Amino acid sequence: MSWFKRDKPGVDTPSDADRTVRTEGLWVKCDGCKQIIFRQDLEDNRRVCPKCGFHFRIDAREWLDLIFEGEWTEFDSNLASTDPMQFADSKPYKARLAGMQQTLNMKDAILSGQGKIGNHTVNVCSMELKFIGGSMGAVMGEKITRAVERSIENRQPLVIVSATGGARMQEGAVSLMQMAKISSALMRLDEVGVPYISVLTDPTTGGVTASFAMLGDLNIAEPGALIGFAGPRVIEQTIRQKLPEGFQRSEFLLTHGFLDAVVKRHDIRDFLARSFDFFVN
Amino acid sequence: MSNPDITARIHALHPDSAPAPVATESNPAYKKVQLARHPKRPHALDYIERLCTGFTELHGDRAYGDDLAIVGGYAFFDDQPVMVIGQQRGRDTKQKLARNFGMPKPEGYRKAMRLMFMADKFHRPVITFIDTPGAYPGIDAEERGQAEAIAYNLREMARLGVPVIVVVIGEGGSGGALGMGVGNKILMLENSYYSVISPESCAAIIWRDSAKAELAAAALKLTGPDLLERGIIDEIVPEPPGGAQEDHDAAAALLGDSIRKALAELSAMTPKELVDHRYLKFRRMAPFFEG
């Protein structure tokens, strides 16, 4: 109990919330050039920094909207994981999945679509990094394999846009086997001579890089994307030294002969259309 | 496990192994992980020399070098010519360094694939022995395309028109193991494990503490029975009492029986049937989805 008590309300000082004009979200600091850019300018420029050309990450759905001309059809959107290992850490995997499905309004870390690129009807899969790090489990394995099969059956080119940390730990060896499953399907696609272009975006690592992402007839990447087998932290811990500047970036892989081209986001659709003209017509 | 004191013995023999696990008796998964890493456990070459005659090692990937973490060559199993390829770790420190602790680099995977193509060309079965903590995560391996080397093997192994038998003899460490693991038959020794991530790394991610590996080992469901139940492997090969390290000859004999059976079954198939058989095996792996 205090000694003095205020009977009347005091002088009304505006709270911090009232005092500030809400500007958060209007401006973005570019991770590339560290300059402040107006968010709307960034959105209008497909999330590429208008000042330095740094490529911000975009969502799985934005990728499909970007690549396809006009309408596209989604496939296998209801496929969901059944938790093969009944995995639980700080939170049961099932609960983690349910949370993600709710927040992101998708069942797993991948979208599968079909639409037009130039004169071609193409099957495109694109990964959602926000969904458990874009990790690959049984659902991603199955959706991509079905897309490959659609491409084989209808002789339609295939594009896979990767954005992922690799295989999904919570699905154990089941997720590991998806690497072999998809790669085997790509063997069949290869045998019927239907083209596949792998688009690697920031980041593409682990079991996805070590399987289908490196198996395109063309492997292309966005500028500055982190691409590798082991993540940089794992390598640093193993060899106990700092990694060189630009290590495992797109330009590094291009120099070492693992990419056909580094393609800017604005040019990707034209690049794909032109490539399919070469492969198919 | 016939010997209840086996855990204590592991630590007596291998004092620098991971810290003694809590409640090991209730955690058979971690016990298997430790046995899979046992310093006296037979390695690929130990099995090859006991199972085959006339093993002739063939070196190099024809592009960069010869990776000693993977050994391969032709040999004769029950007088039948076969290509054998194994991930090989060292016994003493010098060997361990030379073999890079059984962590292959891209040239190792490319050598393995070269030998598998050779087997395909001359219609010889392929037997691979998996025993690696994982593909090497280092600067040079990344520069030479570790990911590409493994990816290429996954696709090309699917194309082989000969029987491919895969045996996990110790550690089946993630993509580094799978890079030689696309087979018609996948066998696992009783005390081996096959996992998407090592229990230590998994524990480091989940609990930020790699010492909690024994918990992670159980969560990952990485033992033979776990994987057999989920349709990921075909058979568990029994080991002599106490584990393969107790008796290399007996372990090899038991493995020989399983390989013989698998070879007999697969040898009756045409090249196309073998490719389709392998394809369907992985195509159906593993339907844990709904909707």
Side-chain angles (χ1 to χ4, degrees), chain A residues 136 140-142 144-145 148 160 177-187 211-212 215, chain B residues 282:
Chain A
M136 168 172 62
M140 188 183 287
E142 182 68 16
I144 294 181
T145 305
V148 176
I160 303 176
M177 295 304 147
Q178 305 310 310
M179 296 167 63
K181 171 169 159 176
I182 298 168
S183 302
S184 300
L186 288 174
M187 178 276 286
S211 60
F212 55 88
L215 292 175
Chain B
F282 282 91

Side-chain angles (χ1 to χ4, degrees), chain A residues 78-90 138-139 142 145-146 149 152 167-181 183-188 190-191 206-207 209-212 214-216 219 227-231 233-236 238-239 241-244 247-248 252 256 258, chain B residues 103 110 134-140 142-156 158-159 172-178 181-182 186 194-197 201-203 205-208 216 218-222 226-227 230 232 272 275-276 278-280 282-291:
Chain A
N78 283 324
L79 236 52
S81 170
T82 54
D83 186 11
M85 304 304 182
Q86 292 107 43
F87 196 92
D89 45 81
S90 51
V139 170
E142 182 68 16
T145 305
R146 288 185 188 180
E149 287 169 343
I152 294 172
R168 183 172 294 169
M169 185 177 73
Q170 293 88 342
E171 292 193 18
V174 168
S175 64
L176 183 66
M177 295 304 147
Q178 305 310 310
M179 296 167 63
K181 171 169 159 176
S183 302
S184 300
L186 288 174
M187 178 276 286
R188 293 206 156 172
D190 185 58
E191 300 224 311
T209 321
S211 60
F212 55 88
M214 276 290 161
L215 292 175
N219 298 328
I227 301 164
F229 173 67
R233 235 180 334 157
V234 175
I235 300 176
E236 278 185 347
T238 310
I239 62 171
Q241 63 189 71
K242 267 289 201 220
L243 296 172
F247 179 67
Q248 290 185 315
F252 174 92
H256 285 86
F258 293 100
Chain B
M103 292 186 284
R110 290 180 182 130
Y136 183 62
I139 292 184
D140 54 343
E142 294 287 327
E143 278 176 345
R144 295 197 290 277
Q146 188 71 285
E148 192 274 344
I150 292 170
Y152 181 78
N153 283 19
L154 299 183
R155 187 183 69 200
E156 296 306 314
R159 220 190 291 259
S174 194
L178 189 65
V182 185
I186 301 167
Y194 201 174
S195 178
V196 67
I197 186 169
S201 305
C202 179
I205 292 171
I206 296 176
W207 297 286
R208 312 234 160 255
L220 285 165
K221 307 277 196 299
L222 41 65
D226 291 323
L227 301 180
R230 287 165 179 80
I232 288 169
K272 188 181 179 307
V275 173
D276 290 347
R278 200 179 309 121
Y279 181 78
L280 285 177
F282 282 91
R283 176 65 188 87
R284 291 170 184 151
M285 214 182 268
F288 290 99
F289 47 80
E290 61 193 6

Side-chain angles (χ1 to χ4, degrees), chain A residues 28-276:
Chain A
V28 186
K29 188 174 178 188
C30 174
D31 289 335
C33 59
K34 312 286 178 208
Q35 293 198 62
I36 305 297
I37 33 181
F38 190 44
R39 183 180 285 277
Q40 197 56 45
D41 289 348
L42 187 64
E43 302 297 339
D44 293 346
N45 201 33
R46 293 175 175 159
R47 295 187 61 77
V48 174
C49 174
K51 290 176 178 158
C52 74
F54 177 85
H55 285 54
F56 285 73
R57 293 168 179 173
I58 60 173
D59 298 344
R61 202 164 287 279
E62 288 177 86
W63 263 111
L64 296 183
D65 290 338
L66 174 88
I67 286 185
F68 288 128
E69 282 156 49
E71 295 296 298
W72 52 273
T73 321
E74 192 178 344
F75 285 92
D76 307 316
S77 60
N78 283 324
L79 236 52
S81 170
T82 54
D83 186 11
M85 304 304 182
Q86 292 107 43
F87 196 92
D89 45 81
S90 51
K91 191 173 170 185
Y93 173 48
K94 273 224 151 121
R96 200 178 290 270
L97 270 178
M100 283 284 167
Q101 287 166 346
Q102 185 103 48
T103 322
L104 296 170
N105 195 25
M106 56 198 294
K107 294 282 187 193
D108 211 296
I110 186 139
L111 295 178
S112 176
Q114 188 181 75
K116 283 277 185 188
I117 302 175
N119 299 317
H120 310 273
T121 300
V122 181
N123 296 306
V124 183
C125 294
S126 115
M127 289 171 209
E128 180 50 66
L129 192 68
K130 288 179 193 147
F131 198 114
I132 319 187
S135 57
M136 168 172 62
V139 170
M140 188 183 287
E142 182 68 16
K143 280 177 83 162
I144 294 181
T145 305
R146 288 185 188 180
V148 176
E149 287 169 343
R150 260 191 294 281
S151 282
I152 294 172
E153 207 170 309
N154 309 311
R155 298 197 65 82
Q156 292 157 340
L158 174 74
V159 174
I160 303 176
V161 182
S162 297
T164 174
R168 183 172 294 169
M169 185 177 73
Q170 293 88 342
E171 292 193 18
V174 168
S175 64
L176 183 66
M177 295 304 147
Q178 305 310 310
M179 296 167 63
K181 171 169 159 176
I182 298 168
S183 302
S184 300
L186 288 174
M187 178 276 286
R188 293 206 156 172
L189 184 72
D190 185 58
E191 300 224 311
V192 297
V194 171
Y196 158 43
I197 299 181
S198 170
V199 181
L200 296 92
T201 75
D202 186 54
T204 300
T205 59
V208 168
T209 321
S211 60
F212 55 88
M214 276 290 161
L215 292 175
D217 291 298
L218 300 182
N219 298 328
I220 65 173
E222 285 205 302
L226 178 79
I227 301 164
F229 173 67
R233 235 180 334 157
V234 175
I235 300 176
E236 278 185 347
Q237 281 164 9
T238 310
I239 62 171
R240 292 171 200 284
Q241 63 189 71
K242 267 289 201 220
L243 296 172
E245 186 73 23
F247 179 67
Q248 290 185 315
R249 296 287 164 184
S250 305
E251 298 71 18
F252 174 92
L253 273 91
L254 186 73
T255 312
H256 285 86
F258 293 100
L259 293 176
D260 289 280
V262 174
V263 183
K264 291 189 183 118
R265 194 169 290 161
H266 287 81
D267 303 330
I268 263 184
R269 190 202 281 165
D270 286 347
F271 184 100
L272 294 174
R274 194 168 62 244
S275 300
F276 293 137

